[in-house]
Amino acid sequence: RFRLLIRMQKDKNLKSTRQNISFPIYIVALCIIVIVAINSVIHDPLVGYDSDGHLDYITVIADHLPTEEDSGEFFSPPLPYYIPGIAYQACVFFADTPLLQCKLFGGDFAKGVNFFLAMGITILFIKISRLIKPENKFFTLSALSLLGGMTVFYKTFSQVRGEPYVAFFTVLVVFLTIKMYNDETNWRYASLLGITLGLLVLSRQWGFFLYPAVFFVLVRKNREKIPVSKHLYMVFFTFFVAAVIGGWFYLHLYFEYGALTAFNVEAKSFSLSNQPFSFYRNSGFRDFLLFKSPTRKTFDNQLFPLFYSEIWGDYWGFFIFIREKSPFYAAFANKEQITPYLGRVNFVSLFPTALLFGGMLVGAKRFFQTITKKLHKIDTIAFGFFFLAIAISLLGYAWFLIKYPVHPKGATIKATYMIQLFVILPFLAAEFLEFIRMKMPKMYNLFLFLLGGVFLHNLPAMISRYWWWLR
């Protein structure tokens, strides 16, 4: 009877702990959604990477795929532009307003869609965390906290472009891949996963980098639960559906422009010498410029400091750093005021960056475990999957930067282009924090407190200064 009372008390304490940890999860999720909503309302759709090209795309997509004359983004897949394009056409048809106003209306509509995509990502984050760690809400809290602390997430979802769709479909692919791996009757998930993979590459070419990792997970499935022949049929059926959904656009690029990888910059033969030595070498730590002046011209075509400054801050000046030459906003230029703050943002963000790096180490360990020890536990497979997806994406992005060099500024070095990394990395970093929590619970609490402090310090960097009513 005494043992039973002890067990009942433990169960009661565990239930109380789970209930207590649920509240912070909902608060963090709400913070993410609210910040995205604020930016959706206040950010000017005219401001963004190659915004003219993306807005021009919206104006023609209802009639035809854009040509080089229609939009500089002619090579971009069309999915992210269809709904804003319909909104634009409706504005032109029903409203007696200038075409520019209808273009802006289409851009605002696109930001509204981005808000719902961000909400979907937040919900899927919780679901994926529960799939990997069914009874562990600390893992969910850690993953959401790391996602919500990255400026690049909010900056990406404030802009009219395809990467918000890439982020959403990446997280949906992760969810469906784990479900398909973990379920015995997979035909439904095979169909849904195939459709989602197709929509992923209809959002942006970066989505192809996830394909090898998905294939790796599916062929690693424990075949004791399902015949090998049926399993392989399902795997190939998944990718067949993806090819049918997404492949037509790349055939269009091939027949119209002569390459599946058509781009608006001339390709070179792959060679490391396409980029100068400074591209690979410079870190930004010399004279601590990474923490003093992480804005335009400081790190021209230098991969690490520029990319890092785009994750946590606003190197290029499309979010909170207002440039002297910004169209419509030159009178509000704030380089002198904002640069020291962005330097501090980079400095305090070394802490979450270290956690993300620790997550990559955990992922590498789990990936090699799945190969060498043939482990089939869902968490081991999931973390190995995440590591492989991130590694291939980084290699693919490096190939792109070397194949299509843009001198002297390095304008294609943007963290937004790799948003898929930043919706996967938090799961690996959360597992790294789980290791700390199991060994040193007080240290884990301290780390969560520090993440909260970094978030509060960086919060002003997560809310746009390009307010449309100032234009």
Side-chain angles (χ1 to χ4, degrees), residues 2 40 43 132 171 348:
F2 178 74
S40 295
H43 187 75
I132 299 172
V171 177
V348 301

Side-chain angles (χ1 to χ4, degrees), residues 369-430:
Q369 283 179 338
T370 62
I371 295 175
T372 58
K373 298 183 180 180
K374 298 183 179 180
L375 298 178
H376 295 283
K377 288 179 61 179
I378 188 63
D379 59 341
T380 301
I381 289 291
F383 295 131
F385 169 38
F386 298 154
F387 172 80
L388 186 59
I390 292 168
I392 292 173
S393 295
L394 288 173
L395 289 173
Y397 185 51
W399 170 88
F400 167 76
L401 292 175
I402 294 169
K403 184 80 172 177
Y404 298 91
V406 179
H407 301 307
K409 295 181 180 179
T412 49
I413 305 174
K414 295 183 173 80
T416 286
Y417 290 175
M418 283 289 100
I419 189 63
Q420 65 209 60
L421 302 182
F422 306 112
V423 294
I424 297 177
L425 263 173
F427 293 113
L428 290 176

Side-chain angles (χ1 to χ4, degrees), residues 265-271 273-274 399 402-405 407:
V265 174
E266 184 180 355
K268 292 187 176 182
S269 298
F270 184 85
S271 172
S273 63
N274 289 349
W399 170 88
I402 294 169
K403 184 80 172 177
Y404 298 91
H407 301 307

Side-chain angles (χ1 to χ4, degrees), residues 51-64:
S51 58
D52 290 343
H54 293 289
L55 291 173
D56 288 340
Y57 203 127
I58 287 172
T59 65
V60 300
I61 187 59
D63 297 322
H64 59 270

